[in-house]
Amino acid sequence: MTISNFFGIMIILLSSFISRGSPRIYLVRHAAVDLAKPGWGSSENSAEYKAAYNIADIETFNPDEVLKKIENHKNIDTLFCSPQPRALETAKILFGGKAFLKTDSVLTELDYPVLQIPLLPLPVKGWLFLSRITWIAGINTGEKAGYKERLDELNVFTDELTKFADRNGQAVIVAHGMLNRELVKILKDRGWKYCKNGKNGYNNLSVNCLELP
């Protein structure tokens, strides 16, 4: 190999590395579910609503409005996805058959038992809020995995996620609001930062982008 050929190859490799830039991770929340908004009810009504929410179909949406927030989305061939129906349906509408859906149970929404307090009417969303914060505090345990256990699982998953993003330049996840919020916290603790204009909240179809400086 001549010196000129050697330097030519090095320039190509260096240009490729520079053009790829810092690895990025995109966290997408699923579309809104097609389910009537709850009103007031008992703890039993709230548990029933929560169960219905987990199997409900999603509302129609324009995938282009979401994809425009994901750089080089046409090059994505692997997608990390929650196995729950609302996330799977959203992922399929966004990427169709163009990307392999790598589902993982660790990406299911953080699930908590609904507090059981008879004869106390509250807004259903109030029941769910109280149930969630008491679960996080370790008071409301039930038979489901605890908050700390789920965080431990997410930390292990994040190891795989960041390695994938580093190898491929980017990684995309379609999951849930609470879960995405926890993943953002874990990534920020590991030195990841929001991309420019990459902070998008946790509403349905939000896209949060983080990169490693």
Side-chain angles (χ1 to χ4, degrees), residues 100-116:
F100 170 69
L101 297 185
K102 189 173 183 179
T103 59
D104 195 319
S105 61
V106 75
L107 294 176
T108 57
E109 179 60 298
L110 302 186
D111 196 13
Y112 50 87
V114 176
L115 286 170
Q116 297 298 307

Side-chain angles (χ1 to χ4, degrees), residues 33-179:
V33 299
D34 189 10
L35 189 65
K37 302 298 181 185
W40 284 63
S42 64
S43 59
E44 183 178 352
N45 298 145
S46 303
E48 290 171 353
Y49 172 80
K50 189 166 175 286
Y53 183 91
N54 280 334
I55 60 174
D57 293 329
I58 60 173
E59 297 178 355
T60 58
F61 67 94
N62 181 358
D64 292 335
E65 291 299 311
V66 181
L67 292 173
K68 70 182 182 182
K69 301 175 185 178
I70 303 175
E71 190 174 341
N72 299 320
H73 63 83
K74 292 182 179 179
N75 297 329
I76 294 168
D77 58 10
T78 300
L79 188 70
F80 293 90
C81 188
S82 161
Q84 290 179 283
R86 57 191 183 274
L88 281 172
E89 288 182 38
T90 302
K92 289 175 182 177
I93 291 173
L94 288 173
F95 293 94
K98 297 180 292 184
F100 170 69
L101 297 185
K102 189 173 183 179
T103 59
D104 195 319
S105 61
V106 75
L107 294 176
T108 57
E109 179 60 298
L110 302 186
D111 196 13
Y112 50 87
V114 176
L115 286 170
Q116 297 298 307
I117 305 176
L119 305 178
L120 178 62
L122 285 174
V124 168
K125 288 192 175 181
W127 276 112
L128 299 181
F129 174 73
L130 288 173
S131 300
R132 182 169 66 249
I133 61 173
T134 52
W135 175 73
I136 290 173
I139 302 170
N140 173 29
T141 54
E143 297 179 357
K144 299 180 183 294
Y147 177 66
K148 184 178 183 304
E149 182 181 344
R150 291 300 311 273
L151 287 190
D152 290 343
E153 293 173 350
L154 282 175
N155 267 289
V156 173
F157 169 79
T158 303
D159 292 337
E160 175 190 355
L161 177 67
T162 53
K163 288 176 183 176
F164 180 93
D166 188 55
R167 288 194 308 268
N168 297 275
Q170 63 181 352
V172 178
I173 293 174
V174 178
H176 309 272
M178 284 178 63
L179 185 126

